[in-house]
Amino acid sequence: MSATIIDGKQIAARVRAGVAEQVEAFGRETGQTPGLATVLVGEDPASAVYVGGKQRACAEVGMVPYDRRLPANATFEEVAEELEGLNADRAVSGILLQLPVPAHLDGPALTGIISPDKDVDGLTPVNAGLLSLGRPGLRPCTPLGVMELLAETGVELAGAEAVVVGRSNLFGKPMAQLLLAHNATVTVCHSRTRDLREVCARAEVLIVAVGRARLVRREFVRPEAVVIDVGMNRLTPEEAGNKSGLVGDVDFAQVAEVASAITPVPGGVGPMTIALLLRNTLQAARYHARLHELLADVEEGLA
Ligand code: NAP
């Protein structure tokens, strides 16, 4: 194996430690503590594990977690009311609606109810639009995490051929926008791409988020490319043998022979998502603190 392994666990730990320090400093400056609310509808076990992880991580960096749960049969109006309550709550800096929501609910419509200034997942139309326009805003956590990993490799993005495989609103599209904002030449592939192998083989930076185990093999990868594997695929116990059972979209053993750097699964992109969620929550808290300061000044001026 020739590739450097990009250690997402270690990089995420560093991001979290940085956030913890800044939360403390923010508390000293403003007397406030950022708060992150998670909203979970239903009892899907995987979603409950994700929410639990986010709650714990939040407390670990000194923020206040708010854990809101609604039954699987909650109506659109009930979830909307919960989100609107959190929008209005000044103790809450960031709101995250855990996706997917049960099938009878419209997830994107519910996400759209979250105030853009509390949208720490960066998924509301306002934040997606701001990203697309290259204006400041809250960005989706996983693509932000990938940008941190790329920075760590030292790869020069300006002018580089970057290929993103997957065009979801959650990952592929915002990832492409972030790369474009860093002046990469970006190609986005999807299920209708005619020759995926040929397009991927052009990439100096190859980012794969499809959800198909080991889709990307050695012949898809340009020698010395930086390869980021976002995919998370659970193997059956028989397929997994005695291993963890979680594999990415990239055939790690093959691709590590040709790439210059590669993320493992698990331990690559996964840990970055929560770390960047915490950073986004702090960013939202800072924005609110500035806004309230400004409003107080205006009120004082009017008095
Ligand atoms: P998604 O919404 O299902 O999107 C998958 C994308 O892959 C779609 O754009 C689809 O194309 C494309 N695709 C499907 N088959 C393809 C093929 N054979 N060749 C090329 N493209 C193909 O999934 P997602 O939410 O973006 O997630 C993708 C993967 O990343 C999943 O494994 C997910 O678990 C993982 N993920 C991980 C994290 C993390 O924190 N580590 C965060 C987000 C996602 P069409 O648009 O044409 O259908």
Side-chain angles (χ1 to χ4, degrees):
M1 186 178 71
S2 60
T4 302
I5 296 179
I6 307 166
D7 186 345
K9 249 172 135 171
Q10 195 185 72
I11 300 164
R14 215 161 57 220
V15 171
R16 283 157 75 148
V19 172
E21 267 175 34
Q22 291 166 48
V23 166
E24 215 187 321
F26 177 77
R28 280 197 304 273
E29 283 159 30
T30 65
Q32 295 165 20
T33 308
L36 173 65
T38 55
V39 179
L40 175 62
V41 187
E43 277 113 40
D44 175 59
S47 293
V49 169
Y50 290 142
V51 163
K54 288 165 188 172
Q55 291 276 318
R56 265 195 311 283
C58 178
E60 271 165 27
V61 296
M63 296 182 185
V64 182
Y66 299 91
D67 185 358
R68 301 291 164 87
R69 303 205 175 202
L70 288 98
N73 63 357
T75 62
F76 185 93
E77 289 70 26
E78 284 166 340
V79 184
E81 198 185 334
E82 183 69 54
L83 294 171
E84 276 156 5
L86 293 167
N87 281 343
D89 185 343
R90 275 182 69 162
V92 173
S93 321
I95 306 169
L96 179 150
L97 174 65
Q98 184 66 39
L99 299 172
V101 288
H104 68 283
L105 296 172
D106 181 342
L110 284 169
T111 297
I113 292 170
I114 297 171
S115 261
D117 55 293
K118 295 193 177 187
D119 168 31
V120 283
D121 248 351
L123 297 178
T124 58
V126 170
N127 279 313
L130 289 170
L131 172 58
S132 165
L133 295 173
R135 304 263 313 272
L138 288 161
R139 312 301 196 209
C141 306
T142 308
L144 264 190
V146 170
M147 293 306 288
E148 288 287 321
L149 297 178
L150 290 176
E152 195 72 17
T153 67
V155 65
E156 172 65 53
L157 289 175
E161 286 271 1
V163 171
V164 180
V165 188
R167 57 171 165 182
S168 66
N169 291 332
L170 188 74
F171 183 80
K173 283 181 196 157
M175 186 72 248
Q177 296 282 2
L178 284 175
L179 290 165
L180 203 53
H182 283 75
N183 300 315
T185 302
V186 185
T187 305
V188 182
C189 299
H190 44 77
S191 65
R192 310 286 284 275
T193 296
R194 211 172 298 126
D195 187 345
L196 184 65
R197 189 207 61 77
E198 185 259 332
V199 181
C200 288
R202 293 206 302 258
E204 295 166 87
V205 174
L206 177 61
I207 301 174
V208 191
V210 171
R212 286 188 52 179
R214 303 189 184 113
L215 172 76
V216 168
R217 300 177 299 278
R218 181 201 308 258
E219 64 271 22
F220 285 53
V221 178
R222 173 172 166 163
E224 296 301 303
V226 173
V227 179
I228 306 286
D229 188 356
V230 185
M232 292 202 297
N233 307 289
R234 199 139 302 273
L235 298 180
T236 62
E238 299 80 61
E239 287 169 331
N242 57 3
K243 303 221 177 88
S244 79
L246 194 65
V247 294
D249 291 345
V250 175
D251 187 319
F252 182 86
Q254 284 190 11
V255 171
E257 299 285 340
V258 282
S260 66
I262 184 169
T263 54
V265 177
V269 174
M272 298 302 290
T273 301
I274 291 188
L276 274 296
L277 172 69
L278 299 172
R279 189 186 278 174
N280 275 355
T281 305
L282 178 62
Q283 182 185 330
R286 284 193 175 128
Y287 171 82
H288 294 133
R290 275 202 307 276
L291 190 68
H292 294 142
E293 215 173 284
L294 271 172
L295 287 173
D297 285 352
V298 171
E299 274 168 22
E300 209 178 277
L302 291 174

